[in-house]
């Protein structure tokens, strides 16, 4: 089955410079080509509907894709573990050069009269995907002592005092702490 990320480019290469609009939605990684993120890190599901919008243009020496890539991602709040669903949109501007070795990071390669946008889409999303996420900017997290979700209810646990500071506040007397 042909991948929706494979774009026919014969017409673009015949008439330089020309461009065509690229506009489609496809599973992020329908062929399961790419490694998922480690457990617990924000990740994009392989079947997540990913939107690609922009234009592909030929120029003397290659092709250039300019556009936007958007994909929904899942994460857990690093403070309270609440599941987060959000969408990441990334602006992309990348060159394609014929028979470019795959380890080159200046440009992507293409062969013959088809170009594969999948590696570009994958790289763009994974480079911008945060390594950790918060459910909200001021998430209070879980109490380290009793485990209560402090966004939902406060608890009576005293803030833990590091032994070194405890000793210091003993020496200085109680009223010097906190100011
Ligand atoms: Zn949270
Ligand atoms: Zn507590």
């Amino acid at each position: 089955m042909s991948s929706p990320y494979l774009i026919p480019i014969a017409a673009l290469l015949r008439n330089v410079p020309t461009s065509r609009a690229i506009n489609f939605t496809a599973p992020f990684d329908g062929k399961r080509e790419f490694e998922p993120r480690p457990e617990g890190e924000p990740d994009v599901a392989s079947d997540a509907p990913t939107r690609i919008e922009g234009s592909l243009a030929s120029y003397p020496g290659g092709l250039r894709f300019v556009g936007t890539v958007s994909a929904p991602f899942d994460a857990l709040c690093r403070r309270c573990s609440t599941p987060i669903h959000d969408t990441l949109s990334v602006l992309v501007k990348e060159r394609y050069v014929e028979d470019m070795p795959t380890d080159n990071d200046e440009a992507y390669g293409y062969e013959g009269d088809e170009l594969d946008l999948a590696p570009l889409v994958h790289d763009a999303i994974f480079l911008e995907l945060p390594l950790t996420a918060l459910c909200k900017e001021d998430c209070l997290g879980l109490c380290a002592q009793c485990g209560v979700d402090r966004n939902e209810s406060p608890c009576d646990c005293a803030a833990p005092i590091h032994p070194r500071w405890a000793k210091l506040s003993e020496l200085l007397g109680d009223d010097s702490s906190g100011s």
Side-chain angles (χ1 to χ4, degrees), residues 143 145 155-161:
C143 172
Q145 291 172 72
C155 64
D156 297 327
C157 303
I161 298 174

Side-chain angles (χ1 to χ4, degrees), residues 9-19 57-63 110:
I9 52 173
L12 291 174
L13 294 174
R14 234 180 355 252
N15 305 296
V16 180
T18 43
S19 68
S58 58
Y59 66 93
L63 295 143
Y110 68 86

Side-chain angles (χ1 to χ4, degrees), residues 59-119:
Y59 66 93
L63 295 143
R64 185 185 296 115
F65 176 78
V66 178
T68 311
V69 174
S70 313
F73 69 94
D74 299 299
L76 291 178
C77 174
R78 75 178 146 88
R79 292 191 194 143
C80 73
S81 298
T82 297
I84 299 167
H85 306 283
D86 208 344
T87 299
L88 180 66
S89 284
V90 184
L91 288 173
V92 224
K93 200 192 247 180
E94 293 289 348
R95 290 188 305 131
Y96 280 81
V97 176
E98 190 166 22
D99 297 326
M100 184 59 96
T102 49
D103 59 355
N104 186 294
D105 50 10
E106 297 272 296
Y108 291 91
Y110 68 86
E111 271 172 51
D113 53 10
E114 264 183 347
L115 175 153
D116 188 3
L117 280 178

